Amino acid sequence: MILAIDVGNTNITLAVLRDGGVEASFRLTTRTPRTSDEFGVQLLGLLEARKIAPEQIEDVIISSVVPGVMYSLTSCAIKYFGKNPMIVGMGIKTGIKIITGNPREIGADRIVDAAAAYELYGGPVFVIDFGTATTYDLILADGAFAAGITSPGIGICANALWNETAKLPEIEIKKPDSILAKETVSSMQAGLVYGYIGQTEYIIKQVKKEAGLPQLKVVATGGLGKIISDETELIDVYDPMLTMKGLWAIYQKNRLESSKYR
């Protein structure tokens, strides 16, 4: 079994993977500062709750868009699991070719999602990750990362709505019974959810049109992605574990070569 860790701007998602399947998964808050020992104690406790011993973890792979946590997280893997983790970044085989202007600007999370979608569905494929930011990435038939679109996530939009207005309350993000809202909470929910469905559908249609790929397969992931994917026929697959599947695929591509130096 391997421990796969994806560090996002809001949450750290962890999963214990065996043969590509998820044995257990956990979430921690990214914004809470932690030492390597604090990470270690928390991870050991989470694993113990699922009856997984630290000795069963054969390796660790980390993808991160938050550099500030990497020293503590890497030290945790070494101290508590005896593993020098594989870090998704330059020099790692992913199966994805970056053909955009500056490859270093493409976040590791986007590459991991792209690797998973391409491995599972082939190309061309359009990958949407409904995270802190929502990212839309076009992967061509040869595995080339051809284009990426970034927009504020639905959570950011919601926070802006109630934080920047004096009288609007904090609300649950969900689709209301009708877009014809008659009170404040449902009117905010209607604007957020239906507005985001509209954005998603327009971007998918425009990408298909400009790329000349009318049959382009669309794969979505991310915490709030199910709310949107359930409301549109333009998303073909919603897979909440897409990132973990990508980390598994990348680990398999690199494990033999990496083991020589670790």
Side-chain angles (χ1 to χ4, degrees), residues 3-8 12-15 17 39 43 60-64 73 76-77 81 85-86 88 243-244 247:
L3 177 62
I5 304 173
D6 176 57
V7 183
I12 300 173
T13 305
L14 311 98
L17 307 178
F39 269 124
L43 293 186
V60 179
I61 181 170
I62 303 174
S63 165
S64 175
L73 202 51
C76 164
F81 298 96
M86 184 185 297
V88 177
T243 303
M244 293 302 146
L247 286 172

Coordinates of all heavy atoms in Angstrom, one line a residue, residues 3-8 12-15 17 39 43 60-64 73 76-77 81 85-86 88 243-244 247:
L3 N 0.8 5.7 0.5 CA 0.1 6.8 1.0 C 0.2 7.9 0.0 O 1.3 8.4 -0.3 CB 0.7 7.3 2.4 CG 0.1 8.5 3.0 CD1 -1.4 8.3 3.3 CD2 0.8 8.9 4.3
A4 N -0.9 8.4 -0.5 CA -0.9 9.4 -1.5 C -1.5 10.7 -0.9 O -2.5 10.6 -0.2 CB -1.8 9.0 -2.7
I5 N -0.8 11.8 -1.1 CA -1.2 13.1 -0.4 C -1.3 14.2 -1.4 O -0.4 14.4 -2.2 CB -0.1 13.5 0.7 CG1 0.1 12.3 1.7 CG2 -0.5 14.8 1.4 CD1 1.2 12.6 2.7
D6 N -2.4 14.8 -1.5 CA -2.6 15.9 -2.4 C -2.9 17.2 -1.5 O -3.9 17.3 -0.8 CB -3.8 15.7 -3.3 CG -4.1 16.9 -4.2 OD1 -3.2 17.3 -4.9 OD2 -5.3 17.4 -4.1
V7 N -2.0 18.2 -1.6 CA -2.1 19.4 -0.8 C -2.7 20.5 -1.7 O -2.1 21.0 -2.6 CB -0.7 19.8 -0.3 CG1 -0.9 21.1 0.6 CG2 0.0 18.7 0.5
G8 N -4.0 20.8 -1.4 CA -4.6 21.9 -2.1 C -4.6 23.2 -1.2 O -4.2 23.2 -0.1
I12 N -6.0 19.3 2.6 CA -5.0 18.2 2.3 C -5.8 16.9 2.3 O -6.4 16.5 3.3 CB -3.9 18.1 3.4 CG1 -3.1 19.5 3.5 CG2 -2.9 17.0 3.0 CD1 -2.1 19.5 4.6
T13 N -5.8 16.3 1.1 CA -6.5 15.0 0.9 C -5.5 13.9 1.0 O -4.5 14.0 0.3 CB -7.3 15.0 -0.4 OG1 -8.2 16.1 -0.4 CG2 -8.1 13.7 -0.5
L14 N -5.7 12.9 1.7 CA -4.8 11.7 1.9 C -5.6 10.5 1.6 O -6.8 10.3 1.9 CB -4.2 11.7 3.3 CG -3.6 12.9 3.8 CD1 -4.6 13.6 4.8 CD2 -2.3 12.6 4.6
A15 N -4.9 9.5 0.9 CA -5.6 8.2 0.7 C -4.5 7.1 0.8 O -3.4 7.3 0.3 CB -6.2 8.2 -0.7
L17 N -3.7 3.7 -0.9 CA -4.0 3.1 -2.1 C -3.4 1.7 -2.2 O -2.2 1.5 -1.8 CB -3.5 3.9 -3.3 CG -3.9 5.4 -3.3 CD1 -3.3 6.1 -4.5 CD2 -5.4 5.5 -3.4
F39 N 1.9 16.6 12.1 CA 1.4 15.8 10.9 C 1.5 14.3 11.3 O 0.6 13.5 11.0 CB 2.3 16.1 9.7 CG 1.8 17.2 8.8 CD1 2.6 18.3 8.5 CD2 0.5 17.2 8.3 CE1 2.1 19.3 7.7 CE2 0.0 18.2 7.5 CZ 0.8 19.3 7.2
L43 N -1.6 11.7 11.3 CA -1.6 10.6 10.3 C -1.7 9.3 11.0 O -2.4 8.4 10.5 CB -0.5 10.7 9.3 CG -0.5 12.0 8.4 CD1 0.7 11.8 7.4 CD2 -1.8 12.1 7.7
V60 N 5.4 6.7 -0.2 CA 4.6 8.0 -0.1 C 4.8 8.8 -1.3 O 5.9 9.0 -1.8 CB 5.0 8.8 1.2 CG1 4.2 10.0 1.3 CG2 4.9 7.9 2.4
I61 N 3.7 9.3 -1.9 CA 3.8 10.3 -3.0 C 3.0 11.5 -2.7 O 1.9 11.4 -2.1 CB 3.3 9.6 -4.3 CG1 3.4 10.6 -5.5 CG2 1.9 9.1 -4.2 CD1 3.2 10.0 -6.9
I62 N 3.5 12.7 -3.0 CA 2.9 14.0 -2.6 C 2.8 14.9 -3.8 O 3.7 15.0 -4.6 CB 3.7 14.7 -1.5 CG1 3.9 13.8 -0.3 CG2 3.1 16.0 -1.2 CD1 4.8 14.4 0.8
S63 N 1.6 15.4 -4.0 CA 1.4 16.5 -5.0 C 1.0 17.7 -4.2 O 0.1 17.6 -3.3 CB 0.3 16.1 -5.9 OG -0.2 17.2 -6.7
S64 N 1.5 18.9 -4.5 CA 1.2 20.1 -3.7 C 1.2 21.3 -4.5 O 2.1 21.5 -5.4 CB 2.2 20.2 -2.5 OG 2.0 21.4 -1.8
L73 N 5.7 18.3 5.8 CA 5.1 17.0 5.3 C 6.1 16.0 4.9 O 6.0 14.8 5.2 CB 4.2 17.4 4.2 CG 3.0 16.4 3.8 CD1 2.2 16.1 5.1 CD2 2.1 17.1 2.8
C76 N 7.8 14.6 7.9 CA 6.8 13.6 8.5 C 6.9 12.3 7.9 O 7.0 11.2 8.5 CB 5.4 14.2 8.4 SG 4.1 12.9 8.8
A77 N 7.0 12.2 6.5 CA 7.0 11.0 5.8 C 8.3 10.2 6.2 O 8.3 9.0 6.3 CB 7.0 11.2 4.3
F81 N 7.3 7.3 8.7 CA 7.1 6.1 7.8 C 8.4 5.6 7.2 O 8.3 4.6 6.5 CB 6.1 6.5 6.6 CG 4.7 6.9 7.1 CD1 4.4 8.3 7.3 CD2 3.8 6.0 7.4 CE1 3.2 8.6 7.8 CE2 2.5 6.3 7.9 CZ 2.2 7.7 8.1
P85 N 9.6 10.8 0.4 CA 8.4 10.7 -0.5 C 8.8 11.1 -2.0 O 9.7 11.9 -2.2 CB 7.5 11.7 0.1 CG 8.3 12.7 0.9 CD 9.5 11.8 1.4
M86 N 8.0 10.6 -2.9 CA 8.1 11.0 -4.3 C 7.3 12.3 -4.4 O 6.1 12.3 -4.0 CB 7.5 9.9 -5.2 CG 7.6 10.2 -6.7 SD 6.8 8.9 -7.7 CE 7.7 7.4 -7.3
V88 N 5.6 15.1 -6.9 CA 5.2 15.4 -8.3 C 5.7 16.8 -8.6 O 5.4 17.8 -8.0 CB 3.7 15.3 -8.4 CG1 3.3 15.7 -9.8 CG2 3.1 14.0 -8.0
T243 N -8.0 12.5 -8.5 CA -6.7 13.0 -8.2 C -5.9 11.8 -7.6 O -4.7 11.6 -7.9 CB -6.7 14.1 -7.2 OG1 -7.4 15.2 -7.7 CG2 -5.3 14.6 -6.8
M244 N -6.5 11.0 -6.7 CA -5.8 9.9 -6.1 C -5.4 8.8 -7.2 O -4.4 8.2 -7.1 CB -6.6 9.2 -5.0 CG -6.8 10.2 -3.8 SD -5.2 10.6 -3.1 CE -5.5 12.3 -2.6
L247 N -2.4 10.1 -8.9 CA -1.2 9.9 -8.1 C -0.7 8.4 -8.2 O 0.5 8.1 -8.2 CB -1.4 10.3 -6.6 CG -1.5 11.8 -6.4 CD1 -1.9 12.1 -4.9 CD2 -0.1 12.5 -6.6

